[in-house]
Amino acid sequence: MNDSAAPTIDLFNLGSRGLQHHGLRRANERAVLTVVGFNPGLSNAEIARMSGLAPQTVSAILNDIEALGLIVRGEVLRGRRGQPATPIFLRAEGSFGIGVELSWRHADIVAINLHAKALAHRHLCYEEPDFAALPRKIADAIAEMVRDWPAAQRERLTDIGIGLPSTIDENRVPEDDNVPSALRVAFAAELEQLTGLPVMLFNDGNAACWAELVARPAPRPETFIYLLVSTFLGAGLIGEGRLWQGPSGYSADLGAMLVAQPDGIPMPANAFASVTSLVERAQEAGITLKAGDNADWDWDALEPVLKAWMRQSAKVLALVIYNANAVVEGRLAVIDTILPPQITERLSRMVLEEFALLPQRRSVEIVPGTIGRLAPALGAAELPLYHRYFSRNLFEKNQIRSDMPQKKSKKPYTGEERRKTKR
């Protein structure tokens, strides 16, 4: 992860850095890939218009990235005015990625293609994340997922992204808050050694927010607030077209936002709008729930507890959206959960009702998320592929250096309750 104690950088110095010829070429390749990837079926001329590049430049870039196996050409479209046009598409099999959500009570592992389609999924449950044992378990799960892939497909498996809460290892090793966790770094290094693939770390809320952005139809919102009711409250912000990660990679921790309670004592939103809070309420009512997996929960028996929890959560989430909106001016807020879709829809409607009771400064559309519990893992898989092929910020700290498929010497695959006040 990035070092949160990075030195201050003058904003205006960022714009004074020029691009060498090879850097400009890479930026143009990424511009073309972005246009193709998010606008499938365009012709060479249409790609040139959208990217602002000359048709000859676009033609040369398309030839290069086609040779790399990243795009495919459709059938020539005839019967139109002018020269026949050939539609260009991102090749789904051009690259593959692995995403892992490493949560407090579970790990979800997904494999995706370049179209961000999930090809395989594994789910692990545990009482606490064991950083000594999990790298091997995750590596074994990945090995099982890709075992039957053709060799050519395995060769295009490029990266692993890990989405995890910022404080998941907070009580395990003493460390300076301004230094990236040695335990997280060691975890990533071991997983990289076991799989032979580069590993990138992301905040789980940021990763889930990114997955929601990718999944939304065009035109995608330039700014929106994203909240994921998981073991604790995950969150992310898309601000003016960028994922708001901050210098540490853990910005937009809206779950830590304080909300006022009837007794006057401010508490973090995590303490109420979380599955942990729901499990505790159920236990107080004599209902035992398996915290890491809600597939077998008796929702009929849980309904009275669920309804009360949802109402309080809705009040808290409405306050979080209201306060965050005062900073980022997001006209859209997305509420997602790791609970069944019908619960997510009910909760989002309640949040909208509670938000309408607050003093209105500006209107905000509040909608349910489209992905659910796999959002952090999917986003963690998508972000490394985005940095590798699409992002034109060639100087991002988190960016993978090698941005096109390369031959690599891969190593073989091998197979106490958290405090409410923090995630």
Side-chain angles (χ1 to χ4, degrees):
M1 298 300 297
N2 290 340
D3 187 344
S4 61
T8 301
I9 299 174
D10 189 316
L11 172 66
F12 295 102
N13 285 343
L14 296 177
S16 64
R17 190 168 190 174
L19 288 177
Q20 299 293 335
H21 177 71
H22 71 278
L24 183 61
R25 175 70 176 188
R26 287 168 59 197
N28 288 342
E29 286 175 344
R30 290 159 178 262
V32 169
L33 272 171
T34 300
V35 172
V36 172
F38 293 93
N39 303 275
L42 297 183
S43 66
N44 187 323
E46 291 168 326
I47 295 169
R49 282 196 294 271
M50 289 194 69
S51 65
L53 299 172
Q56 298 89 337
T57 301
V58 170
S59 181
I61 289 174
L62 288 174
N63 288 336
D64 288 346
I65 59 180
E66 182 181 23
L68 291 170
L70 296 175
I71 62 169
V72 293
R73 299 178 191 266
E75 294 184 6
V76 177
L77 302 176
R78 303 183 185 279
R80 298 182 176 183
R81 299 178 62 181
Q83 294 293 323
T86 301
I88 310 296
F89 301 92
L90 195 66
R91 181 170 174 258
E93 300 79 15
S95 190
F96 301 88
I98 300 291
V100 180
E101 181 201 8
L102 186 62
S103 188
W104 300 96
R105 297 287 182 263
H106 67 268
D108 279 303
I109 308 159
V110 297
I112 68 168
N113 61 20
L114 203 51
H115 284 183
K117 179 182 178 181
L119 305 177
H121 169 230
R122 297 293 184 274
H123 181 74
L124 305 176
C125 290
Y126 42 76
E127 290 300 318
E128 285 195 358
D130 184 344
F131 279 78
L134 275 171
R136 174 69 63 178
K137 290 182 179 180
I138 292 171
D140 288 346
I142 293 171
E144 181 188 354
M145 290 164 64
V146 306
R147 181 175 295 125
D148 296 330
W149 287 14
Q153 185 171 334
R154 288 199 302 271
E155 279 298 311
R156 288 185 173 270
L157 182 57
T158 55
D159 304 291
I160 298 175
I162 308 290
L164 72 172
S166 58
T167 57
I168 195 168
D169 55 349
E170 62 179 346
N171 292 329
R172 299 176 186 276
V173 289
E175 58 174 301
D176 187 329
D177 286 342
N178 290 327
V179 178
S181 164
L183 198 54
R184 289 196 296 272
V185 171
F187 169 85
E190 184 176 354
L191 185 59
E192 186 167 312
Q193 183 179 30
L194 290 170
T195 62
L197 296 173
V199 175
M200 298 179 72
L201 298 176
F202 303 97
N203 173 259
D204 56 344
N206 286 336
C209 180
W210 185 260
E212 179 67 29
L213 176 68
V214 171
R216 296 188 69 81
R220 292 172 177 82
E222 188 177 58
T223 298
F224 72 89
I225 300 162
Y226 175 85
L227 298 170
L228 177 67
V229 179
S230 183
T231 306
F232 293 99
L233 181 59
L237 287 175
I238 299 294
E240 298 178 357
R242 294 179 65 88
L243 181 63
W244 193 354
Q245 293 178 281
S248 68
Y250 292 118
S251 291
D253 185 9
L254 304 184
M257 187 175 287
L258 296 178
V259 293
Q261 295 307 301
D263 59 9
I265 300 176
M267 292 287 289
N270 274 325
F272 308 99
S274 66
V275 175
T276 296
S277 174
L278 174 59
V279 170
E280 290 176 349
R281 279 174 171 261
Q283 289 175 340
E284 292 171 358
I287 303 173
T288 301
L289 300 176
K290 187 177 180 181
D293 192 348
N294 57 64
D296 298 326
W297 288 7
D298 185 343
W299 293 101
D300 291 335
L302 189 60
E303 177 60 26
V305 173
L306 176 67
K307 188 174 181 180
W309 170 81
M310 290 176 68
R311 181 55 63 186
Q312 184 179 43
S313 295
K315 293 178 184 292
V316 167
L317 294 173
L319 288 172
V320 169
I321 293 170
Y322 187 92
N323 292 330
N325 185 54
V327 178
V328 299
E329 251 187 305
R331 298 303 177 92
L332 173 68
V334 177
I335 307 293
D336 213 344
T337 79
I338 64 171
L339 303 173
Q342 62 270 25
I343 305 298
T344 302
E345 292 176 6
R346 285 177 60 188
L347 179 60
S348 66
R349 288 197 299 268
M350 287 186 178
V351 174
L352 184 60
E353 293 169 2
E354 295 294 338
F355 188 84
L357 300 176
L358 299 175
Q360 293 301 301
R361 297 177 62 250
R362 59 178 68 93
S363 62
V364 178
E365 183 183 8
I366 299 174
V367 300
T370 60
I371 302 175
R373 69 173 307 126
L374 285 184
L378 284 171
E382 293 164 0
L383 278 166
L385 291 177
Y386 174 76
H387 285 299
R388 182 178 288 276
Y389 298 116
F390 302 102
S391 173
R392 279 180 283 167
N393 187 347
L394 304 181
F395 305 105
E396 290 184 28
K397 290 184 179 181
N398 276 343
Q399 184 184 330
I400 297 172
R401 298 295 181 183
S402 55
D403 51 0
M404 290 295 170
Q406 299 178 17
K407 292 183 178 179
K408 315 183 276 292
S409 57
K410 288 188 178 180
K411 298 178 181 179
Y413 284 97
T414 63
E416 131 200 9
E417 180 63 50
R418 289 293 150 245
R419 287 180 295 174
K420 288 181 180 179
T421 56
K422 291 186 179 180
R423 296 189 62 249

